Amino acid sequence: MVFDEDLPSQDHPHPVVQAPQPFVHPSVSRLRSFLPSSPLQSANLGHPPGSLTPAGGYSPLSHTSNISRVSTPLRCDGGLTVDGETFKWTSLQIATSQLFGKHQSKAALSLGASKLGTPTVLAVNGLICVGTDTGHIYVFDFKQMLVCMCGNDSASTAGSVSALALSHDHTYVVSGHDSGHVQLFNLKKPHSPVRIIAPASLPLVLSGKQEGHLAGSRIIDVAFVAGRHTAILSADDHGLAFYHNLGKILFVEASDTIRILGNYPHSSPTEDSSPRFRSFRRWRLRNPVLSMAALPPGTAPHPTDAYQLVAMLTPSKLIVVGMRPTPKTWLKYLREGTPDTAASDRCRGNLAWYSSIKASEGKKDEAGESTSPVIAYSWGKLIQIMRVSETKIKQVATSSRSGKKHEIDVGTLVFQNYGKWVAEDAVLALQWLNVNQLVVFTAVNLLVYDVRTADAIEHVPFDAFTLLPRVRNHTNRRDLDSIGDIAHAVRTHKGKVFLLEREQLRVGTLSTWADKILSCVERGDFLKAIEITRAYYTGEAPGNRNGLPDDAEERTAVLRSRLHELMVASARYVFSEDRMTDGTHFSPDGRGVDRTSVFEGLVMTCARACIALSNYDFLFEDLFQYFDNSGISRIYLRQLEAFVLDGTIRSIPPWITQRLVALHDGDGRLDLAERIIWHIEPTCLDINQAIRLCQANHLWDALIYIYTRALHDYVSPIVELLSLIRKSLAFRQRTNTISRTDSNSKHAYRIFPYLINVLSGQAYPSGEALDVDEAHVAMKDIYRFVFNGRSDIWPPQGGSLILTSDDSGTEPTYPYARLLLRFDAESFLHCLDLAFESSFFNVDKESHNISRLWIVTVLSDIISDSSFTPFDVTFVNIFIARNVPKYPQDIIQPPSTLQNILISLASSRDASTREDRQLAAEYLLSAYTPHDSILIMKLFEDAGFHRILQRWHRQERRWPELLQSYLEDSSLGPLDLFMSVDEVLTLSKQGKDMKVPSDVLQKLMRALERLLHGDLHLTAILIDKFAPALHQTALDTIGAADRRKQYEYLVYLLDPQIQVDEEDNILHHRPDLSNIDKSLQRLFVTLQCHFASPDVISTLDRMRDHVDWPAVEQICEENRAYGAVLWAMGQRGLTETALSKAAVFEKQLTFDIVKTLTTPGSNTADVGDHLNSLLEIGRRGTAMCLERSTASGFMGVTLEDIWFQLLSSQLQSIHTISTLRTSGLNDAQDSARTNALSTLRGLVQETFASFVSITSTQAVSFPRIFKRLVDPGLYTGLSSGTSYTEFRTILTSMLESYRTDEDMLVISKHLLSRDVFDTVEEYTKEKVKGWSASHSICKYCHNSLLRPDGDDQTDTRLVISRSAVYHRQCVS
């Protein structure tokens, strides 16, 4: 595609104002019989010859420039793409070096940080706590200083830290371990735990003497309840959750443990009880705890704090328990069915609390000054948000002292779902970033979810494999289970996200709008900063809006101020002297860098910003002055032009408008200057400059725009264009042509789209709607001027007389309307047809006295003059005829006038307008009934108005005339014609037997030639349906000379297969073979033998109930369809006769082959035809013999005789051809002889193979047949017979064929055996390999699967179940 470099860029998306549409002589108008497909096409009628302008119009930006390149990236859909990091990630290097590094700091060593293991779990709440696999806990402050190290050398006995929590006041840490231990540390005395909750034994638990986690249960979650240090929650991987109240009685530790979720196993898993072990396994897998969290204290008090709420999530339900005043389950919310969730995601769940905070104005709930606590939880891909609040209810209580009853207020909790969202993948972790936003981790993405908009506002690619998994021995990156359990490695605190990764500890902060803008400014991309700020101002910016005021007015004020500051700073930077000398203009080759795109981008970016602000002072004053002072105002003007042309900026100061017009005037691009003029508000134009430019350069669109929009003069454009029309008509008269390609005609045709727009209430050329009052004034002025009965003076004050004739001529009546009709009647009437639909004629009629009737009357008076061509008169009559029924209340004409219009429409002999005239006549007849119908009907018949005639004949039930009208209607296609004829013949049936009248049949018979020429098949079906006696007449009409068409005609009648396969039988008729004359059947068989002999047998088989067999056999024999003869005889049971016939046919064909081979100059291709016939006879004979051999109770000759007769005749043909002398044959004849022998020997082999298949019967003896064939004279006394050598050749070939089949079977057997062996071997190898276990310890005893003691007597065998691995001795 070639771009015009002088045209403006279209880099910014804005609504496009429609460009002026060229109007030339229409190829399709509203007065035609076929209507345009869209209103746009009906308003823009065609083009002059050689014009390349599309009828649909063109956009003013249809040619775009690529010279304007903006540095700001835009998405293809017009949205802004914000570059930069969504999160600012920082590695906590000091803490990382101590957690993962090989060398510990002196401070860490002094605190006992040697041999403390590798990190396993993270907790952040005022301090950063990291647990290790040796049972120790690192505690850092936010300056990455190691505060303390919890645990001592004996900490490893408790096992790896699997769960961790920090108290609300940052003084205590509670840890859960893989062994089931729970430890509480005081950060002031971190070396030893202040309290230890040891795991319980199952026998004591089952006896009711103890509560707690079972030994070996891994603690997956721990938490402090409210602000207490001694109230702890814990949950394990066996689905048990406990509340531990670590109190003291008389300075003695007294712990109270309450089970709040889960069930114990029914019995202990003893070493010799495998069934009990299986019961334990079923218990463990039934309902695990996916996540647990206690409601932390908020920054503002809330009534729900008194309940000390705890939330627990299982694969099937969400449970909320209140620990105070007494433990109580407040909520059990069952999981809804999610059929789209994968099986591996059903056990993925997370939850997180957000406690109450001080509410801003307008967001306070019933509790007063604080917000309600919120819990977010996820199952698989589904994330749900639930708000918790308290309500008071009245209850009647009885006083224990007085016994009186009184009402008291009792609090109850209300749980309300107010958000739901489905992620793309399963949620692996979620945390609250702030009160309105959740941070969500999936396997491949990190998302920020805004609960107010219920949508993801940030979407960042993130590899969850980088996070530290709870199970460290997984290394398969593609294994989702290895990265599924990462919630323990993600924590948030005060808007920051902390991640415990495999090799480092990182913290991330969500970038705010100010961060994104500052990032652009820091790297010098001021234009991108302006675009981002504008996007936030208009609400189009993607991502979060953190840091902006929630109030719309405050947010707008902040962004407006920042946007103006950025524009000013950007302009100063771009035009600063320092930037001219810095490195932005340097290139390695020393030629410098073209920075035109920077200046272009500045204009476009600031223009978009000013449009958003609705303040153009900076754009038109400060910025333009920068460009003008630097001498590069052309760049400014070209970029601003794009906004003018798409209608985004309409009001421009006059000094800039002058420069824009002068820019294109100086470049010689007057078309661009014209477009600029009519896209700018008239008040911004320099009227004198614009008019002089337009008149001097024939810029008619711009000139009309100035007249109408600036001067509000709607008649002057018509006056200007009428002068062009006069010149164009004079040119036609002078050259004696009707050419419309001269320059005057090209410009004069603009009068028609101008009339369409203004008379429809639209401005020209933009197509914008005019004000109603102004539109009515414009219409009134135009109608009065165009349809004025005499020449007028314009302008009324100080104007001149507008003439239409030559200086020496006399002005006619209605000069201006008459001139438009002479110029192009169809185009002018098309404009009026559109204008008649305006509401102008229906309102305020008394003020203008302009009506549709007045215009029609004027047109009728004009065409009464004989100076108009019949074409023009015809279109005026079409216009009147089509509008009389549309506006019956306005256009009232006497019957005589309508009669004359109808006669005029029918009297024209212009074939190009026949359908148009017929449609107009139909319109007129819907409102008027002619008084001389016989005359009108005769005129319509002569005019070819068949559609009208058909409707009249149908109403009057004149079936012959209706049929004749359809037959003469050339507009009907073949299918429509046959459907119409079928309908007429069906309607015309009368009498008890429902026969078609004879006069209708006579019409049909005379029309056979046209019907047969249209569609042979449908003609055959039509005649068979209504007049079967005319079949012979139809065949005679086709003529004996065209036997192929006769055959095709009969196929549709006599071949049932064709009838069944025909899916487009629009006449809904199937011929009955019993009704077809026998002579037609015989003719059909004769023709089929000639044109499709291979199909004769299948056709006869389908027609067997209607066939004259002797006649058919004779026809087939005469036409050398020998196979059909034999088949027909076989159907009658004449097997012996058929085989005798076969011998005769084979002898005749063999003679023909010999004759062809021995005749000089003969066509050897005939040998192939004869061989095909021999093959058909031989195979048909074999089929008959096989059928006779399997039949029971046959009479006549023996089976051996019929087989002998078949084989001997075939061998006789071979003998005759093989004994032919080859000395006199040429190469072609010799090749044909060899091919014939090969083909016939193959036929004998096929016959022998069939014969061998039935030799097990006692009636047939292969030895006897063999002897008779080798020596026929042994039984028959004949001395001449087939040579033994020839027979031996045939028999040897048969044996070789059998041997080849045997070899193929052996090879196939060996290949199959090898494939099966390889497949089984591969399956066995894969089965032996096994699969990796999810844990490296025994799931029963929790010891290593590989015993390191080296005891040879230890049983090292393993037992592998579906989901775990055990020692053999543990389950035996």
Side-chain angles (χ1 to χ4, degrees):
M1 181 180 294
V2 179
F3 294 95
D4 191 340
E5 296 184 354
D6 292 328
L7 290 178
S9 173
Q10 194 186 13
D11 292 334
H12 56 287
H14 286 296
V16 177
V17 179
Q18 183 181 351
Q21 307 299 328
F23 188 101
V24 292
H25 185 262
S27 59
V28 176
S29 73
R30 290 167 61 95
L31 305 181
R32 295 284 184 176
S33 58
F34 47 94
L35 298 179
S37 59
S38 67
L40 183 61
Q41 291 178 342
S42 65
N44 303 284
L45 305 179
H47 318 279
S51 173
L52 299 178
T53 306
Y58 61 91
S59 166
L61 298 180
S62 59
H63 300 285
T64 57
S65 171
N66 60 356
I67 62 173
S68 177
R69 301 178 180 86
V70 187
S71 62
T72 301
L74 294 175
R75 291 203 304 255
C76 60
D77 58 354
L80 180 69
T81 301
V82 179
D83 294 336
E85 293 184 348
T86 303
F87 281 87
K88 293 182 178 179
W89 295 106
T90 304
S91 177
L92 302 179
Q93 297 181 0
I94 299 176
T96 297
S97 64
Q98 299 186 51
L99 292 172
F100 299 94
K102 296 181 179 180
H103 303 287
Q104 303 287 347
S105 65
K106 292 182 179 180
L109 292 174
S110 65
L111 292 171
S114 60
K115 299 181 181 180
L116 297 181
T118 57
T120 57
V121 66
L122 175 69
V124 179
N125 181 19
L127 295 172
I128 303 173
C129 303
V130 180
T132 68
D133 58 356
T134 58
H136 295 81
I137 302 171
Y138 288 88
V139 180
F140 299 93
D141 61 14
F142 287 132
K143 296 181 180 180
Q144 305 184 57
M145 299 300 295
L146 184 61
V147 177
C148 65
M149 182 73 65
C150 298
N152 49 34
D153 293 339
S154 62
S156 59
T157 59
S160 174
V161 179
S162 57
L164 199 61
L166 182 65
S167 65
H168 182 65
D169 59 358
H170 318 146
T171 58
Y172 281 82
V173 171
V174 62
S175 62
H177 299 262
D178 279 347
S179 60
H181 287 76
V182 178
Q183 298 184 133
L184 179 66
F185 291 91
N186 185 346
L187 296 185
K188 294 181 180 180
K189 300 177 181 179
H191 294 290
S192 299
V194 296
R195 299 294 291 269
I196 299 177
I197 305 173
S201 63
L202 185 58
L204 292 177
V205 168
L206 295 177
S207 65
K209 298 180 180 180
Q210 190 177 8
E211 288 277 0
H213 299 285
L214 299 179
S217 298
R218 185 181 63 185
I219 307 301
I220 61 172
D221 273 311
V222 291
F224 288 96
V225 177
R228 299 176 56 194
H229 299 155
T230 56
I232 297 173
L233 296 167
S234 62
D236 62 27
D237 59 350
H238 290 161
L240 292 172
F242 296 92
Y243 169 71
H244 308 280
N245 188 8
L246 308 180
K248 288 186 178 182
I249 300 178
L250 299 177
F251 304 101
V252 178
E253 295 181 357
S255 300
D256 184 17
T257 300
I258 302 174
R259 177 163 47 93
I260 58 177
L261 182 66
N263 295 312
Y264 292 111
H266 299 298
S267 60
S268 60
T270 59
E271 295 182 359
D272 57 351
S273 177
S274 58
R276 286 193 294 270
F277 170 74
R278 288 192 295 271
S279 174
F280 177 85
R281 184 177 61 185
R282 289 194 299 270
W283 157 75
R284 183 183 64 83
L285 295 175
R286 185 170 54 188
N287 208 17
V289 177
L290 302 181
S291 184
M292 180 189 70
L295 174 62
T299 58
H302 193 271
T304 56
D305 296 341
Y307 294 87
Q308 295 186 3
L309 298 179
V310 179
M312 293 168 287
L313 192 70
T314 72
S316 60
K317 57 183 176 291
L318 170 68
I319 304 168
V320 179
V321 177
M323 306 310 300
R324 290 296 177 91
T326 57
K328 177 181 179 180
T329 300
W330 286 100
L331 173 70
K332 283 187 178 180
Y333 182 77
L334 297 180
R335 182 176 185 174
E336 298 177 356
T338 52
D340 58 335
T341 302
S344 60
D345 297 336
R346 295 187 183 278
C347 288
R348 297 193 189 279
N350 301 273
L351 61 83
W353 284 98
Y354 197 89
S355 54
S356 60
I357 61 173
K358 189 173 182 180
S360 59
E361 194 66 29
K363 295 186 178 180
K364 300 175 182 178
D365 64 1
E366 295 82 354
E369 300 295 327
S370 61
T371 62
S372 296
V374 181
I375 182 173
Y377 58 96
S378 67
W379 275 309
K381 300 179 181 179
L382 179 66
I383 301 174
Q384 299 188 75
I385 314 295
M386 185 178 290
R387 181 183 287 115
V388 185
S389 60
E390 184 195 45
T391 184
K392 299 291 186 179
I393 60 174
K394 298 289 185 180
Q395 285 190 356
V396 178
T398 303
S399 175
S400 59
R401 294 182 179 181
S402 62
K404 295 182 179 180
K405 296 183 178 180
H406 60 280
E407 289 187 347
I408 60 174
D409 291 333
V410 178
T412 184
L413 295 181
V414 177
F415 298 85
Q416 178 185 2
N417 277 316
Y418 78 101
K420 181 183 293 186
W421 175 54
V422 179
E424 296 178 357
D425 299 309
V427 176
L428 305 183
L430 62 82
Q431 292 285 322
W432 284 97
L433 198 61
N434 52 55
V435 67
N436 296 317
Q437 294 167 348
L438 274 171
V439 60
V440 177
F441 288 81
T442 66
V444 294
N445 291 307
L446 188 159
L447 303 98
V448 178
Y449 172 66
D450 195 314
V451 299
R452 295 169 297 183
T453 61
D455 195 10
I457 58 175
E458 301 288 358
H459 191 286
V460 182
F462 186 87
D463 188 1
F465 184 77
T466 60
L467 297 178
L468 189 68
R470 194 184 296 270
V471 180
R472 295 297 301 272
N473 62 339
H474 281 283
T475 59
N476 186 0
R477 189 180 185 88
R478 292 175 295 179
D479 185 6
L480 289 180
D481 291 335
S482 67
I483 61 172
D485 195 0
I486 62 168
H488 64 285
V490 178
R491 293 292 182 265
T492 58
H493 180 67
K494 292 186 177 180
K496 293 180 172 58
V497 182
F498 293 83
L499 302 180
L500 181 61
E501 299 185 345
R502 293 176 181 265
E503 297 180 354
Q504 65 176 338
L505 178 65
R506 283 203 300 170
V507 61
T509 304
L510 184 63
S511 298
T512 64
W513 73 281
D515 295 331
K516 297 174 182 177
I517 295 172
L518 181 61
S519 175
C520 295
V521 173
E522 288 176 347
R523 64 175 183 262
D525 194 351
F526 283 91
L527 304 186
K528 182 62 173 294
I530 296 174
E531 286 290 353
I532 294 176
T533 309
R534 181 188 63 83
Y536 279 110
Y537 183 83
T538 59
E540 301 171 354
N544 70 87
R545 288 170 173 77
N546 295 353
L548 285 172
D550 292 334
D551 183 72
E553 293 184 0
E554 295 179 7
R555 183 172 63 251
T556 301
V558 170
L559 292 171
R560 183 187 298 111
S561 175
R562 179 63 61 88
L563 190 56
H564 186 268
E565 293 173 359
L566 286 171
M567 287 192 295
V568 172
S570 300
R572 289 176 179 174
Y573 169 73
V574 171
F575 288 96
S576 65
E577 295 182 0
D578 294 338
R579 198 196 68 82
M580 298 298 181
T581 59
D582 63 11
T584 58
H585 289 272
F586 174 76
S587 63
D589 56 6
R591 293 184 298 175
V593 179
D594 182 10
R595 292 298 175 184
T596 304
S597 61
V598 175
F599 297 100
E600 293 175 341
L602 179 63
V603 177
M604 300 191 72
T605 304
C606 292
R608 282 191 286 264
C610 291
I611 292 169
L613 295 173
S614 298
N615 189 334
Y616 300 92
D617 292 342
F618 175 79
L619 178 66
F620 294 143
E621 295 179 4
D622 299 345
L623 188 61
F624 176 72
Q625 198 64 40
Y626 274 119
F627 278 87
D628 198 26
N629 293 340
S630 300
I632 54 174
S633 59
R634 289 177 65 91
I635 296 178
Y636 176 92
L637 296 173
R638 287 190 180 279
Q639 301 309 309
L640 182 64
E641 181 183 10
F643 294 90
V644 174
L645 293 181
D646 66 13
T648 307
I649 299 178
R650 300 297 302 274
S651 297
I652 299 177
W655 62 85
I656 296 181
T657 303
Q658 292 175 1
R659 299 286 291 273
L660 267 174
V661 175
L663 172 68
H664 294 304
D665 187 14
D667 292 342
R669 294 302 305 270
L670 300 175
D671 54 334
L672 299 181
E674 180 181 31
R675 290 165 62 186
I676 287 291
I677 292 173
W678 67 263
H679 277 88
I680 295 177
E681 286 290 340
T683 56
C684 302
L685 290 171
D686 184 339
I687 302 298
N688 294 329
Q689 178 202 32
I691 291 180
R692 286 196 304 270
L693 179 67
C694 295
Q695 290 179 338
N697 299 281
H698 306 290
L699 306 181
W700 296 104
D701 287 335
L703 184 61
I704 294 173
Y705 178 77
I706 295 171
Y707 274 130
T708 57
R709 307 299 289 148
L711 304 178
H712 301 284
D713 182 357
Y714 290 88
V715 176
S716 291
I718 299 177
V719 173
E720 296 281 355
L721 294 172
L722 285 177
S723 65
L724 296 179
I725 292 176
R726 289 181 57 193
K727 295 177 182 179
S728 177
L729 292 176
F731 174 78
R732 295 181 191 178
Q733 185 176 4
R734 186 169 59 253
T735 59
N736 195 22
T737 62
I738 57 172
S739 173
R740 296 179 174 90
T741 58
D742 60 290
S743 59
N744 291 322
S745 295
K746 192 173 182 180
H747 295 300
Y749 265 102
R750 295 179 186 271
I751 194 172
F752 297 120
Y754 171 70
L755 291 176
I756 290 176
N757 279 28
V758 178
L759 297 182
S760 300
Q762 298 175 341
Y764 182 86
S766 64
E768 298 173 347
L770 292 172
D771 180 72
V772 176
D773 295 336
E774 182 179 1
H776 285 183
V777 171
M779 294 178 191
K780 180 175 63 175
D781 291 345
I782 290 177
Y783 282 125
R784 286 180 175 174
F785 179 81
V786 171
F787 292 97
N788 198 338
R790 56 185 177 81
S791 299
D792 201 357
I793 297 175
W794 195 266
Q797 302 296 330
S800 58
L801 185 64
I802 310 302
L803 302 175
T804 61
S805 62
D806 297 335
D807 296 339
S808 59
T810 303
E811 283 291 300
T813 57
Y814 308 108
Y816 309 125
R818 187 183 299 270
L819 186 66
L820 289 172
L821 285 173
R822 288 176 54 205
F823 180 62
D824 195 322
E826 183 179 359
S827 299
F828 179 51
L829 295 170
H830 169 83
C831 299
L832 294 178
D833 194 70
L834 287 169
F836 270 23
E837 297 177 357
S838 173
S839 61
F840 168 77
F841 296 100
N842 304 326
V843 296
D844 199 16
K845 298 181 180 180
E846 294 78 9
S847 63
H848 52 70
N849 295 324
I850 298 173
S851 66
R852 300 182 181 95
L853 177 61
W854 173 62
I855 296 174
V856 169
T857 303
V858 170
L859 293 175
S860 299
D861 291 343
I862 292 174
I863 63 172
S864 62
D865 189 350
S866 59
S867 62
F868 286 94
T869 64
F871 184 86
D872 297 337
V873 174
T874 296
F875 269 98
V876 172
N877 288 326
I878 290 176
F879 172 79
I880 298 174
R882 294 185 62 163
N883 282 281
V884 164
K886 287 171 64 177
Y887 311 102
Q889 73 282 3
D890 289 345
I891 305 176
I892 303 174
Q893 295 289 318
S896 59
T897 302
L898 299 180
Q899 180 83 357
N900 292 333
I901 292 175
L902 202 60
I903 293 174
S904 177
L905 291 173
S907 300
S908 176
R909 292 296 178 262
D910 187 356
S912 64
T913 61
R914 182 177 60 211
E915 289 300 320
D916 309 322
R917 291 183 283 110
Q918 181 175 206
L919 182 61
E922 288 180 293
Y923 269 88
L924 187 56
L925 288 172
S926 65
Y928 163 70
T929 302
H931 56 271
D932 191 352
S933 59
I934 298 177
L935 173 63
I936 297 297
M937 185 175 296
K938 182 64 173 64
L939 290 174
F940 283 179
E941 289 177 356
D942 296 339
F945 290 179
H946 297 292
R947 195 165 55 248
I948 301 175
L949 293 172
Q950 290 157 12
R951 185 168 59 252
W952 285 359
H953 292 324
R954 184 184 298 271
Q955 292 173 355
E956 299 296 329
R957 302 180 66 83
R958 295 191 290 264
W959 308 124
E961 291 79 2
L962 178 59
L963 179 60
Q964 185 66 31
S965 178
Y966 279 125
L967 293 172
E968 294 177 355
D969 191 352
S970 59
S971 64
L972 293 177
L975 294 181
D976 294 333
L977 173 61
F978 279 96
M979 292 179 66
S980 301
V981 172
D982 176 75
E983 182 184 13
V984 173
L985 295 176
T986 302
L987 293 174
S988 67
K989 289 182 179 180
Q990 58 187 8
K992 295 182 179 180
D993 52 358
M994 297 299 291
K995 289 187 176 181
V996 179
S998 58
D999 52 352
V1000 177
L1001 289 179
Q1002 289 295 326
K1003 293 282 187 183
L1004 178 63
M1005 185 171 61
R1006 285 194 291 269
L1008 280 177
E1009 184 175 358
R1010 184 191 172 187
L1011 295 175
L1012 289 168
H1013 180 73
D1015 192 300
L1016 208 63
H1017 164 216
L1018 293 178
T1019 304
I1021 301 300
L1022 184 71
I1023 293 176
D1024 191 77
K1025 182 178 180 180
F1026 296 102
L1030 295 179
H1031 281 312
Q1032 188 61 51
T1033 305
L1035 292 172
D1036 295 339
T1037 303
I1038 295 173
D1042 197 346
R1043 296 175 64 83
R1044 180 73 187 185
K1045 282 191 174 181
Q1046 288 184 337
Y1047 168 68
E1048 293 174 357
Y1049 181 91
L1050 292 171
V1051 161
Y1052 296 118
L1053 298 176
L1054 296 169
D1055 193 340
Q1057 184 65 32
I1058 297 295
Q1059 298 169 17
V1060 172
D1061 292 343
E1062 199 69 44
E1063 296 179 357
D1064 56 347
N1065 188 355
I1066 60 174
L1067 302 182
H1068 307 290
H1069 175 72
R1070 297 295 180 190
D1072 188 357
L1073 299 181
S1074 60
N1075 297 331
I1076 306 301
D1077 188 73
K1078 297 296 182 181
S1079 61
L1080 295 181
Q1081 294 183 11
R1082 290 192 293 270
L1083 177 60
F1084 173 65
V1085 174
T1086 302
L1087 295 174
Q1088 191 168 39
C1089 289
H1090 181 70
F1091 293 107
S1093 58
D1095 300 331
V1096 173
I1097 295 177
S1098 58
T1099 300
L1100 293 177
D1101 187 25
R1102 291 189 293 267
M1103 296 172 55
R1104 61 173 59 246
D1105 297 334
H1106 311 284
V1107 173
D1108 183 1
W1109 293 107
V1112 165
E1113 292 170 6
Q1114 182 179 356
I1115 292 172
C1116 292
E1117 185 173 353
E1118 292 174 354
N1119 291 276
R1120 300 175 69 89
Y1122 299 132
V1125 177
L1126 300 181
W1127 180 84
M1129 290 183 173
Q1131 296 302 305
R1132 294 196 291 156
L1134 305 177
T1135 305
E1136 295 83 357
T1137 307
L1139 292 176
S1140 299
K1141 280 279 189 181
V1144 174
F1145 296 156
E1146 287 177 336
K1147 185 176 181 180
Q1148 179 62 40
L1149 291 170
T1150 304
F1151 175 76
D1152 293 340
I1153 291 174
V1154 172
K1155 183 178 179 181
T1156 302
L1157 293 176
T1158 57
T1159 302
S1162 59
N1163 186 7
T1164 56
D1166 295 338
V1167 176
D1169 298 335
H1170 299 324
L1171 284 175
N1172 291 333
S1173 299
L1174 285 172
L1175 289 175
E1176 183 181 8
I1177 293 170
R1179 288 167 182 166
R1180 182 58 57 190
T1182 302
M1184 296 172 63
C1185 291
L1186 286 174
E1187 183 180 357
R1188 186 65 177 272
S1189 301
T1190 56
S1192 61
F1194 62 90
M1195 301 295 292
V1197 299
T1198 62
L1199 287 178
E1200 184 177 310
D1201 291 335
I1202 63 174
W1203 279 104
F1204 173 75
Q1205 185 178 2
L1206 177 63
L1207 288 168
S1208 62
S1209 60
Q1210 294 178 1
L1211 291 171
Q1212 185 64 39
S1213 297
I1214 296 175
H1215 179 68
T1216 302
I1217 297 175
S1218 64
T1219 57
L1220 184 65
R1221 295 181 179 180
T1222 60
S1223 58
L1225 304 181
N1226 56 31
D1227 293 340
Q1229 292 173 335
D1230 186 60
S1231 176
R1233 172 183 174 277
T1234 303
N1235 180 56
L1237 287 173
S1238 177
T1239 303
L1240 294 176
R1241 286 168 182 165
L1243 176 62
V1244 174
Q1245 289 182 23
E1246 292 180 18
T1247 307
F1248 262 112
S1250 301
F1251 171 69
V1252 170
S1253 65
I1254 54 94
T1255 54
S1256 59
T1257 60
Q1258 297 180 358
V1260 180
S1261 172
F1262 182 78
R1264 287 199 302 271
I1265 288 289
F1266 181 75
K1267 291 179 181 180
R1268 294 177 65 181
L1269 291 175
V1270 174
D1271 187 11
L1274 182 62
Y1275 297 103
T1276 60
L1278 297 177
S1279 57
S1280 61
T1282 303
S1283 169
Y1284 175 80
T1285 303
E1286 183 63 38
F1287 188 80
R1288 183 181 63 183
T1289 302
I1290 296 172
L1291 191 60
T1292 303
S1293 299
M1294 290 177 60
L1295 296 177
E1296 288 293 337
S1297 177
Y1298 292 150
R1299 186 177 297 109
T1300 301
D1301 293 342
E1302 179 187 7
D1303 294 340
M1304 289 300 298
L1305 290 173
V1306 171
I1307 293 172
S1308 300
K1309 177 182 177 183
H1310 290 170
L1311 291 174
L1312 180 62
S1313 299
R1314 172 165 294 186
D1315 290 343
V1316 172
F1317 174 79
D1318 291 342
T1319 303
V1320 173
E1321 183 182 27
E1322 182 181 1
Y1323 168 76
T1324 305
K1325 288 180 180 179
E1326 294 295 332
K1327 185 176 181 181
V1328 170
K1329 287 182 181 178
W1331 55 90
S1332 61
S1334 59
H1335 299 276
S1336 60
I1337 60 175
C1338 174
K1339 294 301 291 183
Y1340 177 72
C1341 68
H1342 298 284
N1343 293 321
S1344 176
L1345 292 173
L1346 303 178
R1347 302 289 177 85
D1349 51 13
D1351 186 1
D1352 295 338
Q1353 297 180 355
T1354 302
D1355 187 359
T1356 59
R1357 291 179 297 172
L1358 304 176
V1359 176
I1360 301 175
S1361 70
R1362 178 175 301 176
S1363 59
V1365 184
Y1366 308 89
H1367 291 120
R1368 175 71 176 177
Q1369 60 185 14
C1370 292
V1371 296
S1372 59

